[in-house]
Amino acid sequence: MTAPHRTHVTYPRPRPDTTLSPFTGYTRAHWEAHADGLLAGLVPYGTPHLAQYRLPGRTGHAGDRSDGLEGYARSFLLAAFRIAGARGRDAPGRTVVADLVSRYASGLDAGTDPGHPERWPRITDRSQPMVEAASIAVALHETRPWLWDRLPDAVRQRVAGWLEGFVGARPNDSNWRLFQVITEEFLASVGASYRQREIDAGLARLDDWYRGGGWYTDGDGRKFDYYNALALHLYPVFWQRIAGNRADAALVAVHRDRLRVFLEAHQHFFGSDGAPVHQGRSLTYRFATAAPLWAGALVGASPLPPGRTRRLASGALKHFADRGVPGGDGLLSLGWYRPFLPVTQAYSGPASPYWAGKAFLGLLLPPGHAVWTAREEASPVDVDDRYLALPAPGWLLHSTAGDGIVRLVNHGSDRLPPAPAPAHHSPHYSRFAYSSVTAPETPPEGEPDGPDNHVALVGPEGPPTLRGRIHPLYTRDRIASSWHTPVAAGGVDEDGSAIVSASVVHGPWEVRVHLVRASAGISVREGGWAVACADAPPVAETGPGWALARRADGLTTVLVGVLGWDEDGQSPVGEVAQACDRNAVGYYSATPLLRLARHPGGTRLLATLVVLTSDPQVHEDVPGLRGHVRVFPASDGTIEVLFPDGTSACVPGGPLTADPGVK
């Protein structure tokens, strides 16, 4: 095959349509233009026969040849949605779709030729090509009439032969099991070699990880994050489409029912500006969080009105586009808004972010489908303050319509394998809270962990402790609770120490109650939210028992000591920790802090008001906030919480009693 002509072409975005899409202005044409722009941006980095895309940036741990395959496979998935969505045809006067077909056909030819300099790495046990094979299999299925069926027979045989490396191979025991399911199901669909028992085993393993309420853990343990959305629910949809009549109808129904239940919750994870809550790993996939929204519509399993599906998905895409994603070079960087490596993992290569292309799954729905023709409808955060308890992952969501912020309170997800595996630490899982407008502080490896949304013990020597394995106690209504054993930076449990915590939410407020067991003389430090911005450090204010950090646009975090922080009748003066280049949201960041200078030994009950808001009516009088928050412990172990607006809530007795008893 001859490689197609490679000219970098840019595609202007259509004008916003505020009649059809009053919230985002986006239509199907905007999605097509974004897809075309992302794919065009890759062209200058393609190898001569387009089997690999060698993008600038840090090499992933699998090496540059694997990174080049990743660039091909992940962009092929995006191209497949664009090709299939257009039914293989271009609009008059354009050759976008035809060029994509030619481009990816050339890559298939070269990449599967074992003697070609652009050949792909083989699929072997637990190797990165397993991940990319699944994307290629999905893309080949979705474009079959325009690509696979028109390939020379010799190329088809080589492609099938490369994919057959998955047969009998061992994937990681995680969402990777579904990559094997997808790849071998595609092989079955084209008459190549496969093992049905491996397909069945992968689907059965997925069922092992189901925890109810639409939530899977990504492998054994408590590994809850966006992989539930962009892998564990998404690949069963791809499997159903590839398997067709081969798929077990009862199992298909189970997967669809679980997806429907999940989407009831997933719609609450997006702020009014379209930003997804910033939690978990692989966040550099960004707007891929929209993929299950389209998947629900694609298989008739969505509980959402069509106009809300588009509002949420388009909101996520627009959020990043409005903030310079992709960058001026036309590429998706390893980062969130700007390039920022701490938001990635060691396996992330320069082309890893192109799994963001999963968000374009909606292009498979025809232009006349209601998700494209219905008028946009408000998302939950647009309408009213919301509260959602998610017992399976141990999360509380609370959002406020006044500022459009979604906050996630975490008492259950730590991404750790079951004990006795060591309790290592990740800022993207260990924090008490995450939101749609903030990111956790993520210092480079080897530096002390950030203080945000964390309670730590601080001894005379060594850095503050980390939150170790999270043991959920309960999540219901507006209250969640858990306990953990503080872990030293080296991964060793602090002897005899334990912290039981409960969070109570109301509007923009969260009251955190901690029962801290520690040795006498140990200091206790609590951190609020880290707010970050690109152009200037946030403003800091402090006073007796409180601290505040505020961005120029009004986003404010406040930390107020409510109970147990006073020593000798005096309230500690709050602090604000300033940092540079430690936050994915912006270069400058700041976190309010409170310290108990000396723990008396035994147990100490601490209560703190934690606020994240853009509403000036909430944060304009911080000393007043302190005066209008009350926490009343009772003899039976219950704790009554009184919020600034007079609303009260009760933390049940039991865990928060005289001793955690959890060592």
Side-chain angles (χ1 to χ4, degrees):
M1 290 185 177
T2 302
H5 183 58
R6 298 188 295 154
T7 302
H8 188 144
V9 179
T10 58
Y11 297 93
R13 296 180 199 165
R15 296 176 67 87
D17 185 340
T18 55
T19 300
L20 181 63
S21 302
F23 291 92
T24 69
Y26 272 32
T27 64
R28 183 184 179 95
H30 290 83
W31 282 86
E32 291 175 344
H34 275 288
D36 294 345
L38 286 169
L39 291 165
L42 293 168
V43 170
Y45 303 95
T47 49
H49 289 81
L50 301 174
Q52 299 186 28
Y53 290 89
R54 299 290 186 90
L55 306 186
R58 183 196 67 190
T59 302
H61 70 175
D64 57 0
R65 205 154 62 97
S66 178
D67 287 348
L69 165 62
E70 189 172 60
Y72 176 90
R74 299 191 179 198
S75 64
F76 186 22
L77 188 63
L78 170 59
F81 298 152
R82 180 71 174 94
I83 293 165
R87 305 301 298 164
R89 298 188 297 271
D90 274 303
R94 302 189 69 190
T95 61
V96 176
V97 173
D99 288 347
L100 289 174
V101 171
S102 177
R103 176 172 156 184
Y104 285 93
S106 174
L108 288 167
D109 184 15
T112 58
D113 182 346
H116 200 283
E118 298 176 32
R119 65 188 178 278
W120 297 334
R122 293 187 305 111
I123 299 170
T124 56
D125 288 351
R126 300 186 178 91
S127 64
Q128 185 65 30
M130 286 184 162
V131 184
E132 313 319 322
S135 291
I136 291 171
V138 171
L140 287 171
H141 171 77
E142 297 297 345
T143 60
R144 184 165 179 170
W146 310 286
L147 213 167
W148 176 266
D149 290 348
R150 300 180 184 182
L151 288 173
D153 187 61
V155 176
R156 285 200 299 264
Q157 290 184 27
R158 288 206 312 271
V159 172
W162 183 79
L163 293 173
E164 284 171 349
F166 231 135
V167 180
R170 291 177 295 173
N172 292 322
D173 196 29
S174 64
N175 64 87
W176 284 39
R177 297 293 293 268
L178 296 178
F179 303 152
Q180 186 166 42
V181 169
I182 292 295
T183 304
E184 296 200 39
E185 194 64 64
F186 174 75
L187 290 168
S189 75
V190 297
S193 298
Y194 71 100
R195 293 181 183 175
Q196 185 63 43
R197 67 177 180 273
E198 292 181 346
I199 296 173
D200 295 341
L203 294 170
R205 193 69 178 115
L206 175 65
D207 199 57
D208 292 339
W209 298 327
Y210 189 63
R211 297 294 181 264
W215 290 93
Y216 295 95
T217 173
D218 186 14
D220 293 335
R222 298 194 57 80
K223 303 174 182 178
F224 300 102
D225 55 25
Y226 281 121
Y227 274 77
N228 193 68
L230 54 88
L232 300 168
H233 278 293
L234 192 61
Y235 285 100
V237 170
F238 290 145
W239 166 70
Q240 296 165 24
R241 290 176 65 81
I242 296 171
N245 292 333
R246 277 175 39 85
D248 180 277
L251 185 56
V252 168
V254 167
H255 289 159
R256 291 183 180 181
D257 286 345
R258 290 175 179 176
L259 175 58
R260 182 179 291 105
V261 172
F262 170 67
L263 290 176
E264 287 278 10
H266 190 58
Q267 65 177 318
H268 295 274
F269 279 72
F270 299 87
S272 62
D273 63 356
V277 170
H278 192 101
Q279 181 272 342
R281 68 191 177 105
S282 300
L283 290 167
T284 195
Y285 303 153
R286 298 175 173 98
F287 39 81
T289 53
L293 299 167
W294 298 119
L298 193 65
V299 298
S302 179
L304 310 183
R308 187 182 304 166
T309 292
R310 192 175 76 256
R311 184 267 182 272
L312 291 166
S314 293
L317 180 63
K318 184 177 186 293
H319 175 83
F320 289 99
D322 289 350
R323 289 157 180 80
V325 179
D329 57 2
L331 299 178
L332 295 175
S333 65
L334 284 167
W336 187 243
Y337 303 136
R338 62 190 175 104
F340 188 70
L341 290 179
V343 83
T344 67
Q345 283 67 46
Y347 55 73
S348 303
S352 292
Y354 284 83
W355 247 13
K358 291 180 177 183
F360 292 80
L361 180 65
L363 293 178
L364 296 180
L365 293 159
H369 192 282
V371 294
W372 296 118
T373 61
R375 194 170 189 266
E376 278 187 347
E377 294 188 27
S379 67
V381 72
D382 296 324
V383 177
D384 201 357
D385 293 358
R386 302 279 178 155
Y387 308 93
L388 183 64
L390 300 171
W395 288 344
L396 284 176
L397 290 178
H398 63 120
S399 61
T400 40
D403 53 18
I405 297 174
V406 179
R407 307 157 191 83
L408 183 157
V409 177
N410 175 32
H411 284 275
S413 180
D414 54 23
R415 195 162 179 78
L416 294 175
H424 65 265
H425 162 84
S426 167
H428 292 104
Y429 293 91
S430 62
R431 298 295 192 255
F432 277 100
Y434 301 89
S435 86
S436 60
V437 294
T438 64
E441 297 283 79
T442 47
E445 188 173 351
E447 294 192 14
D449 191 53
D452 54 298
N453 281 320
H454 177 51
V455 60
L457 305 183
V458 186
E461 298 180 4
T465 60
L466 308 174
R467 192 182 186 191
R469 188 180 302 279
I470 300 172
H471 302 270
L473 296 172
Y474 58 82
T475 303
R476 57 178 179 268
D477 300 323
R478 302 184 188 185
I479 306 174
S481 180
S482 64
W483 67 268
H484 72 276
T485 301
V487 175
V492 179
D493 292 351
E494 288 292 284
D495 208 17
S497 299
I499 301 176
V500 182
S501 303
S503 296
V504 189
V505 300
H506 174 61
W509 300 297
E510 176 193 353
V511 171
R512 291 183 197 154
V513 183
H514 305 290
L515 189 66
V516 181
R517 186 173 69 197
S519 302
I522 290 289
S523 176
V524 183
R525 185 196 70 191
E526 173 120 44
W529 296 87
V531 296
C533 49
D535 50 2
V539 172
E541 299 178 20
T542 61
W546 63 270
L548 172 153
R550 178 183 290 122
R551 285 194 328 204
D553 64 359
L555 180 66
T556 302
T557 176
V558 184
L559 193 65
V560 180
V562 179
L563 180 71
W565 292 96
D566 291 356
E567 297 181 82
D568 300 323
Q570 298 294 316
S571 298
V573 175
E575 309 167 33
V576 175
Q578 301 273 4
C580 295
D581 204 21
R582 297 293 184 268
N583 198 286
V585 170
Y587 182 80
Y588 300 98
S589 56
T591 306
L593 306 174
L594 288 176
R595 295 181 190 269
L596 178 69
R598 182 178 175 82
H599 193 290
T603 59
R604 177 85 166 209
L605 188 65
L606 302 173
T608 313
L609 176 68
V610 188
V611 184
L612 177 70
T613 183
S614 293
D615 185 348
Q617 294 184 356
V618 174
H619 60 66
E620 63 184 3
D621 180 16
V622 176
L625 275 179
R626 190 178 190 218
H628 288 88
V629 180
R630 293 285 187 271
V631 171
F632 304 101
S635 58
D636 63 356
T638 60
I639 297 175
E640 183 182 3
V641 176
L642 184 68
F643 287 97
D645 66 354
T647 301
S648 64
C650 185
V651 179
L656 290 170
T657 52
D659 194 307
V662 293
K663 186 62 180 173

Coordinates of all heavy atoms in Angstrom, one line a residue, residues 264-319:
E264 N -27.4 6.9 36.4 CA -28.1 7.7 37.3 C -27.2 8.5 38.3 O -27.5 9.6 38.6 CB -29.1 6.8 38.2 CG -30.3 6.3 37.4 CD -31.4 7.3 37.3 OE1 -31.2 8.4 37.7 OE2 -32.5 6.8 36.9
A265 N -26.1 7.8 38.6 CA -25.1 8.5 39.5 C -24.1 9.3 38.7 O -23.8 10.5 39.1 CB -24.4 7.5 40.3
H266 N -23.7 8.8 37.5 CA -22.6 9.4 36.8 C -23.0 10.9 36.3 O -22.1 11.7 36.2 CB -22.3 8.6 35.6 CG -21.0 9.0 34.8 ND1 -19.8 9.1 35.4 CD2 -20.8 9.3 33.5 CE1 -18.9 9.5 34.6 NE2 -19.5 9.6 33.4
Q267 N -24.2 11.1 36.1 CA -24.6 12.4 35.6 C -24.3 13.5 36.7 O -24.2 14.7 36.4 CB -26.1 12.4 35.3 CG -27.0 12.2 36.5 CD -28.5 12.3 36.2 OE1 -28.9 13.2 35.5 NE2 -29.3 11.3 36.7
H268 N -24.1 13.1 37.9 CA -23.9 14.0 39.0 C -22.4 14.4 39.2 O -22.0 15.2 40.0 CB -24.4 13.5 40.3 CG -25.9 13.3 40.4 ND1 -26.7 14.3 40.7 CD2 -26.7 12.3 40.1 CE1 -28.0 13.9 40.7 NE2 -28.0 12.6 40.3
F269 N -21.5 13.8 38.3 CA -20.1 14.0 38.5 C -19.5 15.2 37.6 O -18.3 15.3 37.6 CB -19.3 12.7 38.1 CG -19.3 11.7 39.2 CD1 -20.4 11.0 39.5 CD2 -18.1 11.4 39.8 CE1 -20.4 10.0 40.5 CE2 -18.0 10.4 40.8 CZ -19.2 9.7 41.2
F270 N -20.4 15.9 37.0 CA -20.0 17.0 36.2 C -20.5 18.4 36.7 O -21.7 18.5 37.0 CB -20.5 16.8 34.7 CG -20.1 15.6 34.1 CD1 -20.8 14.4 34.2 CD2 -18.9 15.6 33.3 CE1 -20.3 13.2 33.6 CE2 -18.5 14.4 32.7 CZ -19.2 13.2 32.8
G271 N -19.5 19.3 36.9 CA -19.9 20.7 37.3 C -20.7 21.4 36.2 O -20.8 21.0 35.1
S272 N -21.2 22.5 36.6 CA -22.0 23.3 35.6 C -21.2 23.8 34.5 O -21.7 24.1 33.4 CB -22.7 24.5 36.3 OG -21.8 25.4 36.8
D273 N -19.9 23.9 34.7 CA -19.0 24.3 33.6 C -18.5 23.2 32.7 O -17.6 23.3 31.9 CB -17.8 25.1 34.1 CG -16.9 24.3 35.1 OD1 -17.2 23.1 35.3 OD2 -15.8 24.8 35.5
G274 N -19.0 22.0 33.0 CA -18.7 20.8 32.2 C -17.5 20.0 32.8 O -17.3 18.9 32.4
A275 N -16.8 20.5 33.8 CA -15.7 19.8 34.4 C -16.1 18.5 35.1 O -16.9 18.6 36.0 CB -14.9 20.7 35.3
P276 N -15.4 17.4 34.8 CA -15.6 16.2 35.7 C -14.9 16.4 37.0 O -13.9 17.1 37.1 CB -15.0 15.1 34.8 CG -14.0 15.8 34.0 CD -14.5 17.2 33.7
V277 N -15.4 15.7 38.0 CA -14.7 15.7 39.3 C -13.3 15.1 39.1 O -13.2 14.1 38.4 CB -15.5 14.9 40.3 CG1 -14.7 14.6 41.6 CG2 -16.8 15.5 40.7
H278 N -12.3 15.7 39.7 CA -10.9 15.4 39.5 C -10.5 14.4 40.5 O -10.0 14.7 41.6 CB -10.1 16.7 39.6 CG -8.7 16.5 39.1 ND1 -8.2 16.9 37.9 CD2 -7.6 16.0 39.7 CE1 -7.0 16.7 37.8 NE2 -6.5 16.1 38.9
Q279 N -10.7 13.1 40.2 CA -10.3 12.0 41.2 C -9.9 10.8 40.4 O -10.4 10.5 39.3 CB -11.6 11.6 42.0 CG -11.3 10.5 43.0 CD -11.5 9.1 42.5 OE1 -12.2 8.9 41.4 NE2 -11.0 8.1 43.2
G280 N -8.9 10.1 40.9 CA -8.4 8.8 40.4 C -7.3 8.9 39.4 O -6.7 10.0 39.2
R281 N -7.0 7.8 38.8 CA -5.8 7.8 37.9 C -6.2 8.0 36.4 O -7.4 8.1 36.1 CB -5.1 6.5 38.0 CG -5.8 5.3 37.5 CD -5.1 4.0 37.9 NE -5.9 2.8 37.4 CZ -5.6 2.0 36.4 NH1 -4.5 2.3 35.7 NH2 -6.3 1.0 36.0
S282 N -5.2 8.2 35.6 CA -5.4 8.4 34.1 C -6.4 9.5 33.8 O -7.1 9.5 32.9 CB -6.0 7.1 33.5 OG -5.1 6.0 33.7
L283 N -6.3 10.6 34.6 CA -7.1 11.8 34.4 C -6.8 12.5 33.1 O -7.5 13.3 32.7 CB -7.0 12.7 35.6 CG -7.7 12.2 36.9 CD1 -7.2 13.0 38.1 CD2 -9.2 12.2 36.8
T284 N -5.6 12.2 32.6 CA -5.2 12.8 31.3 C -6.1 12.4 30.2 O -6.0 13.0 29.1 CB -3.7 12.5 31.0 OG1 -3.3 13.4 30.0 CG2 -3.6 11.1 30.6
Y285 N -7.0 11.4 30.4 CA -8.0 11.1 29.4 C -9.1 12.1 29.3 O -10.0 12.0 28.4 CB -8.6 9.7 29.6 CG -7.6 8.6 29.7 CD1 -7.8 7.4 30.4 CD2 -6.3 8.7 29.0 CE1 -6.9 6.4 30.5 CE2 -5.4 7.7 29.1 CZ -5.7 6.5 29.8 OH -4.7 5.5 29.9
R286 N -9.2 12.9 30.3 CA -10.1 14.1 30.3 C -11.5 13.8 30.0 O -12.2 13.2 30.8 CB -9.5 15.2 29.4 CG -8.1 15.7 29.8 CD -7.5 16.6 28.7 NE -6.3 17.2 29.0 CZ -5.1 16.8 28.6 NH1 -5.0 15.7 27.9 NH2 -4.0 17.4 29.0
F287 N -12.0 14.3 28.8 CA -13.4 14.2 28.4 C -13.8 12.8 28.1 O -15.0 12.6 27.7 CB -13.8 15.2 27.3 CG -12.7 15.3 26.3 CD1 -12.6 14.4 25.2 CD2 -11.9 16.4 26.3 CE1 -11.7 14.6 24.2 CE2 -10.9 16.6 25.3 CZ -10.8 15.7 24.2
A288 N -12.9 11.8 28.2 CA -13.4 10.4 28.1 C -14.5 10.0 29.1 O -15.2 9.1 28.9 CB -12.2 9.4 28.2
T289 N -14.5 10.8 30.1 CA -15.6 10.6 31.2 C -17.0 10.7 30.6 O -18.0 10.2 31.2 CB -15.5 11.6 32.3 OG1 -15.4 12.9 31.7 CG2 -14.2 11.4 33.1
A290 N -17.1 11.3 29.4 CA -18.4 11.4 28.7 C -18.8 10.1 28.0 O -20.0 9.9 27.6 CB -18.4 12.5 27.7
A291 N -17.9 9.2 27.8 CA -18.1 8.0 27.0 C -19.3 7.2 27.4 O -20.2 6.8 26.6 CB -16.9 7.1 26.9
P292 N -19.5 6.9 28.7 CA -20.7 6.0 29.1 C -22.0 6.7 28.9 O -23.0 6.1 28.8 CB -20.4 5.7 30.6 CG -19.5 6.8 31.0 CD -18.6 7.1 29.9
L293 N -22.0 8.1 28.9 CA -23.2 8.8 28.6 C -23.8 8.4 27.2 O -24.9 8.1 27.0 CB -23.0 10.3 28.7 CG -22.6 10.8 30.0 CD1 -22.1 12.2 29.9 CD2 -23.7 10.7 31.0
W294 N -22.8 8.4 26.2 CA -23.2 8.0 24.8 C -23.5 6.5 24.8 O -24.4 6.1 24.0 CB -22.1 8.3 23.9 CG -21.7 9.8 23.7 CD1 -20.5 10.3 24.0 CD2 -22.5 10.8 23.2 NE1 -20.5 11.7 23.7 CE2 -21.7 12.0 23.3 CE3 -23.8 10.9 22.8 CZ2 -22.2 13.2 22.8 CZ3 -24.3 12.2 22.4 CH2 -23.5 13.3 22.4
A295 N -22.7 5.7 25.5 CA -22.9 4.3 25.5 C -24.3 3.9 25.9 O -25.0 3.0 25.3 CB -21.9 3.6 26.4
G296 N -24.8 4.6 27.0 CA -26.2 4.3 27.4 C -27.2 4.5 26.3 O -28.1 3.7 26.1
A297 N -27.0 5.6 25.6 CA -28.0 5.9 24.5 C -27.8 4.9 23.4 O -28.8 4.6 22.7 CB -27.7 7.4 24.0
L298 N -26.6 4.5 23.1 CA -26.3 3.6 22.0 C -27.0 2.3 22.2 O -27.4 1.7 21.2 CB -24.7 3.4 21.9 CG -24.2 2.8 20.6 CD1 -24.4 3.7 19.4 CD2 -22.7 2.6 20.8
V299 N -27.1 1.8 23.4 CA -27.6 0.4 23.6 C -29.0 0.5 24.3 O -29.6 -0.5 24.7 CB -26.7 -0.5 24.4 CG1 -25.4 -0.7 23.7 CG2 -26.4 0.1 25.8
G300 N -29.6 1.7 24.3 CA -30.9 1.8 24.9 C -31.0 1.6 26.4 O -32.0 1.1 26.9
A301 N -29.9 2.0 27.1 CA -29.8 1.7 28.5 C -29.7 3.0 29.3 O -29.2 2.9 30.5 CB -28.7 0.8 28.8
S302 N -30.0 4.1 28.7 CA -29.8 5.4 29.5 C -31.1 5.8 30.2 O -32.2 5.8 29.5 CB -29.3 6.5 28.5 OG -29.2 7.7 29.2
P303 N -31.0 6.2 31.4 CA -32.1 6.8 32.1 C -32.3 8.3 31.9 O -33.2 8.9 32.4 CB -31.8 6.5 33.6 CG -30.3 6.6 33.6 CD -29.8 6.1 32.3
L304 N -31.4 8.9 31.1 CA -31.3 10.3 31.0 C -32.1 10.8 29.8 O -32.1 10.1 28.7 CB -29.9 10.8 30.9 CG -28.9 10.3 31.9 CD1 -27.5 10.9 31.7 CD2 -29.4 10.5 33.3
P305 N -32.7 11.9 29.9 CA -33.3 12.5 28.6 C -32.2 12.8 27.6 O -31.1 13.1 28.0 CB -33.9 13.8 29.1 CG -34.0 13.7 30.6 CD -32.9 12.8 31.0
P306 N -32.5 12.6 26.3 CA -31.5 12.8 25.3 C -30.8 14.1 25.4 O -29.6 14.3 25.2 CB -32.2 12.6 24.0 CG -33.5 11.8 24.3 CD -33.8 12.2 25.7
G307 N -31.6 15.2 25.6 CA -31.0 16.5 25.7 C -30.0 16.7 26.9 O -29.1 17.5 26.8
R308 N -30.2 16.0 27.9 CA -29.3 16.0 29.1 C -28.0 15.2 28.8 O -26.9 15.6 29.1 CB -29.9 15.5 30.3 CG -29.0 15.7 31.6 CD -29.6 15.1 32.8 NE -31.0 15.6 33.1 CZ -31.8 15.1 33.9 NH1 -31.5 14.0 34.6 NH2 -33.0 15.7 34.1
T309 N -28.2 14.1 28.1 CA -27.0 13.4 27.6 C -26.0 14.3 26.9 O -24.8 14.3 27.1 CB -27.4 12.1 26.8 OG1 -28.1 11.2 27.6 CG2 -26.2 11.5 26.2
R310 N -26.6 15.0 25.9 CA -25.7 15.8 25.0 C -25.2 17.0 25.9 O -24.0 17.4 25.7 CB -26.5 16.3 23.8 CG -25.5 17.0 22.8 CD -26.2 17.4 21.5 NE -27.0 18.6 21.6 CZ -28.3 18.6 21.7 NH1 -29.0 17.5 21.6 NH2 -29.0 19.8 21.8
R311 N -26.0 17.6 26.7 CA -25.6 18.7 27.5 C -24.3 18.3 28.4 O -23.4 19.1 28.5 CB -26.7 19.2 28.4 CG -26.3 20.5 29.3 CD -25.8 20.1 30.6 NE -25.5 21.2 31.5 CZ -24.3 21.9 31.5 NH1 -23.4 21.5 30.7 NH2 -24.1 22.9 32.3
L312 N -24.4 17.1 29.0 CA -23.3 16.7 29.9 C -22.1 16.4 29.0 O -21.0 16.8 29.4 CB -23.7 15.4 30.7 CG -24.8 15.7 31.7 CD1 -25.4 14.3 32.2 CD2 -24.2 16.4 32.9
A313 N -22.2 15.6 28.0 CA -21.1 15.2 27.2 C -20.5 16.4 26.5 O -19.2 16.6 26.5 CB -21.5 14.2 26.1
S314 N -21.3 17.3 25.9 CA -20.7 18.5 25.2 C -20.1 19.4 26.2 O -19.1 20.1 25.9 CB -21.8 19.2 24.4 OG -22.3 18.4 23.3
G315 N -20.7 19.5 27.4 CA -20.1 20.3 28.4 C -18.7 19.9 28.8 O -17.8 20.8 29.0
A316 N -18.5 18.6 28.9 CA -17.1 18.1 29.2 C -16.1 18.4 28.1 O -15.0 18.9 28.4 CB -17.2 16.6 29.5
L317 N -16.5 18.2 26.8 CA -15.6 18.5 25.7 C -15.4 20.0 25.7 O -14.2 20.4 25.5 CB -16.3 18.0 24.4 CG -15.5 18.3 23.1 CD1 -14.2 17.5 23.2 CD2 -16.3 17.9 21.9
K318 N -16.4 20.8 25.8 CA -16.2 22.3 25.7 C -15.4 22.8 26.9 O -14.6 23.8 26.7 CB -17.6 22.9 25.7 CG -17.6 24.5 25.5 CD -19.0 25.0 25.4 CE -19.0 26.5 25.1 NZ -18.4 27.3 26.2
H319 N -15.5 22.2 28.0 CA -14.8 22.7 29.2 C -13.3 22.7 28.9 O -12.6 23.7 29.2 CB -15.0 21.8 30.4 CG -14.2 22.1 31.6 ND1 -14.5 23.1 32.5 CD2 -13.0 21.6 32.1 CE1 -13.6 23.2 33.4 NE2 -12.7 22.3 33.2

